[in-house]
């Protein structure tokens, strides 16, 4: 266990130093970027280690895993997996932030299932990919979805989220995302957050304005199952 702790501490320090260099290069502050440690497939004991090392934000792709680990370790819990209608009521019970809303058909259920007294932070996932099936709404449909979220009592529109498409250089993908976000902000000026960047590309994402980066394998090691 000591070994595991040392391993995680050293990879976290490495990620932190890269974040530090990236924000500096962009004349931004460290506080302008939230590091979400993506703990999917890893045990709650790893999440505890991360929390002891000062990490406050954790991300999961599956309801069952997120529900279990969030009951064991306190923190701000993010859901970035694909939303399924039959899981929404459970997800809103443990998640504080949803990164993956990409269809108007989930909005109503999402809003209605938020527990009393809680406000759920929501990112709209944009598809930067032409090929369907990888998640994300068409940029042309973003404003309609945002309008729908804005009138919901229990949802707070944070901003946009995207994943750089496979086979495209992340630099050009995040450059496009930045343009989409800028024009989105003209209509929703409070939706300033931008969730972009994973282990392979978070430094580039920071250069293009990411405020939330979702980093898993660089901190915890490569996953066996490709979730
Ligand atoms: C798994 C996942 C991540 C983290 O990916 P790593 O490459 O392990 O950093 C980030 N975002 C989403 C949407 C994911 O599914």
């Amino acid at each position: 266990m000591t070994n595991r702790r040392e391993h995680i501490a050293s990879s976290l320090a490495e990620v932190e130093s890269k974040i530090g260099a990236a924000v500096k290069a962009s004349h931004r502050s460290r506080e302008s970027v939230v590091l979400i440690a993506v703990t999917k497939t890893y045990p709650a004991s790893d999440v505890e280690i991360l929390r002891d090392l000062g990490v406050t934000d954790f991300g999961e792709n599956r309801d069952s895993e997120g529900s279990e680990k969030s009951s064991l370790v306190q923190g701000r819990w993010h859901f970035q997996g694909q939303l399924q209608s039959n899981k929404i009521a459970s997800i809103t019970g443990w998640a504080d932030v949803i990164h993956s809303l990409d269809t108007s058909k989930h909005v109503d259920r999402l809003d209605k299932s938020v527990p009393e007294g809680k406000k759920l932070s929501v990112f709209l996932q944009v598809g930067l990919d032409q090929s369907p099936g990888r998640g994300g709404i068409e940029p042309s449909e973003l404003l309609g979805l945002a309008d729908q979220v804005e009138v919901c009592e229990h949802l707070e529109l944070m901003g946009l989220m995207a994943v750089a498409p496979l086979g495209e250089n992340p630099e050009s993908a995040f450059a496009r995302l930045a343009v989409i976000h800028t024009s989105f902000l003209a209509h929703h000026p409070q939706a300033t957050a931008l969730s972009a960047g994973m282990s392979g590309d978070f430094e580039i994402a920071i250069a293009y304005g990411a405020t939330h980066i979702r980093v898993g394998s660089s901190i915890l090691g490569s996953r066996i199952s490709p979730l």
Side-chain angles (χ1 to χ4, degrees), residues 83-123:
L83 282 173
Q84 289 169 282
S85 305
N86 61 336
K87 296 287 167 61
I88 286 178
S90 172
I91 293 168
T92 54
W94 59 266
D96 305 294
V97 188
I98 304 275
H99 290 248
S100 44
L101 179 63
D102 65 356
T103 169
S104 59
K105 76 170 199 259
H106 290 326
V107 175
D108 212 38
R109 191 184 291 250
L110 210 50
D111 186 39
K112 291 204 168 87
S113 67
V114 177
E116 206 41 55
K118 174 169 164 178
K119 198 105 172 172
L120 185 71
S121 299
V122 174
F123 286 83

Side-chain angles (χ1 to χ4, degrees), residues 38 40 61 80 161 198-199 214-217 223 227:
V38 175
K40 63 185 179 195
N61 282 47
Q80 75 245 335
M161 179 276 218
M198 303 168 40
S199 288
R214 310 176 310 270
V215 182
S217 51
R223 291 175 297 274
L227 230 180

Side-chain angles (χ1 to χ4, degrees), residues 12-222:
L12 179 65
E14 210 168 295
V15 167
E16 267 302 337
S17 112
K18 289 178 178 170
I19 296 171
V23 293
K24 191 159 177 242
S26 295
H27 310 287
R28 296 174 56 185
S29 68
R30 173 63 189 87
E31 293 69 43
S32 70
V33 177
V34 176
L35 169 64
I36 301 163
V38 175
T39 50
K40 63 185 179 195
T41 78
Y42 284 97
S45 54
D46 280 359
V47 188
E48 272 168 28
I49 291 172
L50 286 167
R51 185 207 48 203
D52 291 346
L53 292 167
V55 176
T56 53
D57 290 74
F58 307 105
E60 289 286 340
N61 282 47
R62 287 194 174 161
D63 174 46
S64 52
E65 271 194 76
S67 159
E68 188 203 322
K69 291 176 220 173
S70 62
S71 73
L72 299 169
V73 187
Q74 285 221 345
R76 197 180 302 121
W77 284 86
H78 301 251
F79 180 82
Q80 75 245 335
Q82 201 172 2
L83 282 173
Q84 289 169 282
S85 305
N86 61 336
K87 296 287 167 61
I88 286 178
S90 172
I91 293 168
T92 54
W94 59 266
D96 305 294
V97 188
I98 304 275
H99 290 248
S100 44
L101 179 63
D102 65 356
T103 169
S104 59
K105 76 170 199 259
H106 290 326
V107 175
D108 212 38
R109 191 184 291 250
L110 210 50
D111 186 39
K112 291 204 168 87
S113 67
V114 177
E116 206 41 55
K118 174 169 164 178
K119 198 105 172 172
L120 185 71
S121 299
V122 174
F123 286 83
L124 309 184
Q125 184 176 353
V126 196
L128 296 175
D129 224 335
Q130 303 317 328
S131 62
R134 304 224 319 131
I137 193 168
E138 288 272 328
S140 62
E141 291 171 30
L142 267 179
L143 290 179
L145 182 58
D147 288 343
Q148 219 188 328
V149 169
E150 288 232 299
V151 298
C152 290
E153 199 183 331
H154 304 103
L155 306 183
E156 184 181 5
L157 182 65
M158 298 291 291
L160 304 183
M161 179 276 218
V163 176
L166 292 170
E168 183 183 353
N169 148 7
E171 181 120 19
S172 74
F174 292 145
R176 266 189 294 136
L177 178 62
V179 171
I180 294 167
H181 192 211
T182 301
S183 75
F184 184 76
L185 279 169
H187 296 88
H188 297 277
Q190 84 294 357
T192 53
L194 188 60
S195 169
M198 303 168 40
S199 288
D201 54 22
F202 67 84
E203 293 153 282
I204 301 168
I206 289 171
Y208 285 95
T211 60
H212 292 67
I213 58 174
R214 310 176 310 270
V215 182
S217 51
S218 286
I219 299 171
L220 293 171
S222 1

